[in-house]
Structures are given as structure tokens and as C-alpha cells.
């Protein structure tokens, strides 16, 4: 059974930083691309960042480019999202996801690319 468990969310002031972690179990983590999505209250889930199985390729949503960095440690079965220069509009529940197949290309920005999801972690940025 595949499990994804996010952690690291919380309350932070605008301009601050947080690092989210997502620990995976139940499948060969290193074979699959991983991603972070977020969902703000009353809005649809939105793509944040994705990373290939090797970490050599990554994609970012336009609103987080230059501020957020996705990374992974396959030895620890964990993917990270370093969030810097946080803004109130980054407030959302953040979800990690694991890809359906062991391939990675531009469709990795779409939620349908992923078949396993974590329960989410709340990030709140105060102004």
C-alpha cells in the first residue's frame, strides 16, 4: 500500500521560509516522478512543482518560479519543497503526489499524471 505523508507546514510571516517534506512508502520511490500541488480555500488544486525520478528534471508553476525549489532524496524516500519569500497568496493546503508511471515529461504539471496523493499539510502566510 502506497503512503505519502507530508509534514513541515505551519504559520509563517510574509517573506519567511518553510520546508515541506513528503515521506513515501509502499513502492519503489526512486522510479517515479513526484510533485507538489496546492489548494487554497475555494479554489481548484494547482500545480506547484514536479521532479523526475533522478532529480535531473524539474518543473515549476509560474507563481512560484524563483522562490520555491523541489528536491528529493531517494535514499530516504523523501521529496522536499523549499519555499522562500513566502507571500499571503501562497496560503493553501499543500499535497505531494507520486506519478502513475515511471516516465516524466511536461504532462507532469497535470494532476492526472499522479495516482497517489498525501493527506496534505496546511501552509498559512500572514501579511
Amino acid at each position: 500500500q502506497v503512503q505519502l505523508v507530508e509534514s513541515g507546514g505551519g504559520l509563517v510571516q510574509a517573506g519567511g521560509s518553510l520546508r515541506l517534506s513528503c515521506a513515501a512508502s509502499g513502492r519503489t520511490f526512486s522510479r517515479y516522478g513526484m510533485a507538489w500541488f496546492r489548494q487554497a480555500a475555494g479554489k481548484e488544486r494547482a500545480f506547484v512543482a514536479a521532479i523526475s525520478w533522478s532529480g535531473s528534471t524539474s518543473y515549476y508553476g509560474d507563481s512560484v518560479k524563483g522562490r520555491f525549489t523541489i528536491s528529493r532524496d531517494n535514499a530516504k524516500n523523501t521529496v522536499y519543497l523549499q519555499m522562500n519569500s513566502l507571500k499571503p497568496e501562497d496560503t493553501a493546503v499543500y499535497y505531494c503526489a507520486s506519478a502513475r508511471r515511471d516516465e516524466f515529461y511536461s504532462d507532469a504539471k497535470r494532476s492526472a499524471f499522479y495516482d497517489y496523493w498525501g493527506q496534505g499539510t496546511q501552509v498559512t502566510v500572514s501579511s
Side-chain angles (χ1 to χ4, degrees):
Q1 181 178 359
V2 177
Q3 284 192 321
L4 302 175
V5 180
E6 302 97 335
S7 60
L11 174 64
V12 64
Q13 289 188 333
S17 298
L18 282 176
R19 189 176 82 153
L20 305 184
S21 299
C22 173
S25 62
R27 72 182 338 187
T28 306
F29 175 79
S30 60
R31 290 182 56 189
Y32 298 92
M34 299 289 294
W36 290 93
F37 286 76
R38 68 186 182 186
Q39 188 166 18
K43 296 187 177 181
E44 294 185 354
R45 189 170 296 187
F47 171 73
V48 175
I51 189 167
S52 62
W53 66 272
S54 67
S56 62
T57 302
S58 58
Y59 299 115
Y60 292 92
D62 288 342
S63 62
V64 306
K65 283 180 182 176
R67 300 188 298 122
F68 290 11
T69 302
I70 189 170
S71 62
R72 65 189 296 161
D73 185 338
N74 287 341
K76 295 182 178 180
N77 288 355
T78 301
V79 64
Y80 304 98
L81 184 68
Q82 178 66 44
M83 305 186 294
N84 298 329
S85 302
L86 283 161
K87 304 175 181 180
E89 50 263 44
D90 294 319
T91 295
V93 178
Y94 283 71
Y95 299 90
C96 73
S98 183
R100 292 181 183 274
R101 302 177 182 177
D102 55 354
E103 56 189 2
F104 191 79
Y105 50 97
S106 59
D107 274 9
K109 298 178 183 180
R110 301 175 59 221
S111 60
F113 198 81
Y114 304 91
D115 56 354
Y116 293 105
W117 295 81
Q119 83 289 348
T121 186
Q122 176 71 45
V123 171
T124 303
V125 184
S126 64
S127 58

